[in-house]
Amino acid sequence: MPANYHTHTPLCRHAEGEPAAYVDAAIAAGWSEYGVSDHAPHRPEPYDDWRMLEADLPAYFEWIEHARAHASGRIPIRAGLECDWLEACGDWVAELASRYSWDYLIGSVHYLGDWDFDNPKWVGSVWAHSDVEDVWTRYWATYARMAESGLFDILGHPDLIKKFGYRPDGDLSRFYEPAIDAIAASGCTIELNTAGWHKPCEEAYPSPEFLELACSAGIPIVISTDAHRPSEVGRDKDRATELLKSVGYQQTQLFEGRKRKAEALQASP
Ligand code: ZN
Ligand code: FE
Ligand code: FE
Ligand code: ZN
């Protein structure tokens, strides 16, 4: 049974629900472990309107403790953050890493320069006027640099750039292959993030083609639902498990104290 490590809390200002409801949903779904990974603060503040502030960190630690108290041994509760990969973020991520006994840090690319390209508010404006080939080229170069940084345990939603369905023409492996090389060299784990199934792209992140390349390259993987409400914690578990098996994965990963170990990807009942 896989764990589900990419989930949010109301502290990021666009998620809802109490710790108990998230934990109950994780137990009901049969995830082996539940991890919290809300959008990390970033300086200078306020960086944007969709993350916690540095001053929210104590409340975040409390939220995790509430989840642990509610779980009371029924499911392990892991502590993480979804950090943004931004130029020159290394010192800040290292400082965040020292603030708590994290089990893992997720690195995500949501920004190209100062453009948060996955924000729906840009669909009719910036996206409509962008050269998709150029945007994808910049995105994948940024993603490879994030892998090479060595700052993160898990790399989030690998092809998030397709969220609104903007994809270049032709075979996309020309984008995937250099990124796969960088990720494999880094030793990082990637996630199969099922939120994409519920977005305009109608495909989990990353694509099946990317997953096949990643599996062949020996890149470890976790499944995550990127839940922003309790009802999203359990969805897609079996579908994601089947997808991973279909491309050749036989294991997922568990994280504790920023160390990982493999667990078998079992058949769904
Ligand atoms: Zn979010
Ligand atoms: Fe994200
Ligand atoms: Fe997220
Ligand atoms: Zn995310």
Side-chain angles (χ1 to χ4, degrees):
M1 272 193 322
N4 182 5
Y5 287 146
H6 186 156
T7 70
H8 291 274
T9 83
L11 291 167
C12 68
R13 296 156 172 81
H14 63 276
E16 57 191 56
E18 295 298 313
Y22 280 90
V23 170
D24 288 345
I27 293 170
W31 297 109
S32 60
E33 301 190 354
Y34 172 70
V36 191
S37 59
D38 210 0
H39 296 285
H42 205 86
R43 291 173 179 166
E45 294 193 308
Y47 197 80
D48 50 34
D49 61 358
W50 51 267
R51 69 186 59 252
M52 66 177 111
L53 296 169
E54 198 175 342
D56 294 324
L57 280 170
Y60 185 57
F61 304 148
E62 226 172 272
W63 205 95
I64 294 165
E65 291 312 318
H66 281 158
R68 287 195 170 127
H70 182 77
S72 65
R74 291 176 297 161
I75 185 172
I77 306 296
R78 302 300 180 202
L81 282 173
E82 183 179 15
C83 302
D84 278 77
W85 169 253
L86 293 151
E87 289 309 321
C89 69
D91 290 348
W92 173 236
V93 173
E95 187 182 331
L96 278 174
S98 72
R99 292 278 191 97
Y100 196 69
S101 47
W102 306 111
D103 293 304
Y104 56 88
L105 295 180
I106 300 175
S108 289
V109 175
H110 303 109
Y111 277 93
L112 293 176
D114 56 7
W115 177 36
D116 55 343
F117 62 83
D118 79 321
N119 193 324
K121 72 181 180 188
W122 305 121
V123 172
S125 54
V126 182
W127 264 116
H129 302 109
S130 289
D131 176 340
V132 176
E133 180 82 19
D134 174 61
V135 169
W136 270 57
T137 301
R138 286 160 54 211
Y139 175 83
W140 286 105
T142 305
Y143 205 90
R145 280 200 300 278
M146 173 172 75
E148 288 157 2
S149 76
L151 292 168
F152 308 109
D153 306 293
I154 300 171
L155 305 178
H157 35 60
D159 58 357
L160 179 67
I161 195 69
K162 74 182 175 191
K163 177 174 177 179
F164 302 113
Y166 293 101
R167 295 176 175 89
D169 295 328
D171 184 352
L172 298 175
S173 57
R174 66 186 189 278
F175 297 102
Y176 300 159
E177 279 162 0
I180 294 278
D181 289 346
I183 297 165
S186 74
C188 289
T189 296
I190 59 168
E191 62 172 11
L192 170 59
N193 184 314
T194 70
W197 274 322
H198 310 279
K199 304 294 189 214
C201 59
E202 296 185 331
E203 187 178 75
Y205 313 112
S207 67
E209 296 74 23
F210 187 102
L211 280 178
E212 273 173 34
L213 292 170
C215 185
S216 301
I219 296 172
I221 197 148
V222 293
I223 294 173
S224 66
T225 65
D226 210 343
H228 285 71
R229 46 191 56 75
S231 61
E232 295 170 356
V233 169
R235 70 181 183 185
D236 304 321
K237 176 166 160 280
D238 293 345
R239 187 179 178 187
T241 303
E242 291 309 315
L243 174 56
L244 286 191
K245 287 196 295 190
S246 75
V247 301
Y249 274 106
Q250 294 174 347
Q251 294 179 328
T252 58
Q253 306 297 319
L254 297 176
F255 284 86
E256 184 175 3
R258 304 200 68 184
K259 292 191 170 46
R260 86 175 155 85
K261 66 173 191 210
E263 71 171 347
L265 188 62
Q266 277 154 17
S268 42

